[in-house]
Amino acid sequence: MKPPITVIIALVTLFLTLEVFACGDSLYRVGKGVSYRVYTAPLPGSVLVYSQSEGGKQLAEALAQSGHGVYLAKNETEFRQEIGKGGYDVVIAAYSDHALVEANQEGSGTEFIPVAVNEEERQAAKHAYDRVLLANQAEVKHYLKAIHKSLKSKT
């Protein structure tokens, strides 16, 4: 009588321990692993960030970590060269640089997402652009959300 009960207990124990091996860091996107502490872009796109500040550099790095292809233009010459090459889905730059961006993006199919310094500038930008971000919203998730909406509207 003891052997069948022992076998049943051993099988149940074995079955329950298999679940322990099933959980783990096996969450994957197509071709890429996913980190739990990093936001990921569901629709990776090509982003051109125009900024001379350290904040712009940090933004470009965060967007690249999330899966976007990012180029950081640090001056007007680099910006003109990159936007002239084409192939960018989104341009992120300060609202104060909107004249430069508009003059160089014409006909490229690239959407400009301006970053306003304050609420007054944001309201002014809202009249001309669908998506406007505030510079004090330092979390990358706001930028990722705006980029995602832009990419989704193109498909």
Side-chain angles (χ1 to χ4, degrees):
M1 192 75 145
K2 285 187 178 182
I5 292 175
T6 307
V7 171
I8 292 173
I9 291 173
L11 288 175
V12 169
T13 304
L14 179 65
F15 179 72
L16 292 176
T17 58
L18 289 176
E19 289 184 29
V20 172
F21 295 115
C23 65
D25 296 340
S26 59
L27 180 62
Y28 291 101
R29 265 192 13 207
V30 179
K32 295 184 178 181
V34 177
S35 172
Y36 292 110
R37 293 181 185 92
V38 177
Y39 290 105
T40 57
L43 290 174
S46 181
V47 180
L48 176 59
V49 177
Y50 175 53
S51 176
Q52 296 90 8
S53 70
E54 184 63 30
K57 181 180 177 185
Q58 291 172 353
L59 173 64
E61 289 171 358
L63 293 176
Q65 283 180 340
S66 71
H68 290 295
V70 181
Y71 183 84
L72 174 64
K74 297 176 186 168
N75 58 50
E76 195 173 318
T77 306
E78 280 184 39
F79 176 77
R80 289 178 193 270
Q81 288 174 347
E82 284 303 312
I83 197 81
K85 291 179 186 176
Y88 289 101
D89 298 311
V90 176
V91 172
I92 298 176
Y95 175 68
S96 58
D97 294 321
H98 72 277
L100 172 69
V101 175
E102 288 173 0
N104 289 285
Q105 80 171 37
E106 210 169 301
S108 67
T110 302
E111 182 175 349
F112 173 44
I113 300 177
V115 179
V117 175
N118 54 37
E119 188 60 36
E120 293 171 14
E121 194 174 80
R122 182 177 174 270
Q123 291 302 323
K126 275 289 210 188
H127 294 290
Y129 303 100
D130 294 332
R131 291 174 249 303
V132 180
L133 298 168
L134 274 173
N136 64 1
Q137 290 179 329
E139 292 186 30
V140 72
K141 69 181 179 181
H142 299 290
Y143 294 89
L144 290 172
K145 186 176 181 180
I147 293 168
H148 179 72
K149 285 181 179 181
S150 175
L151 294 172
K152 196 170 183 180
S153 69
K154 290 182 179 185
T155 58

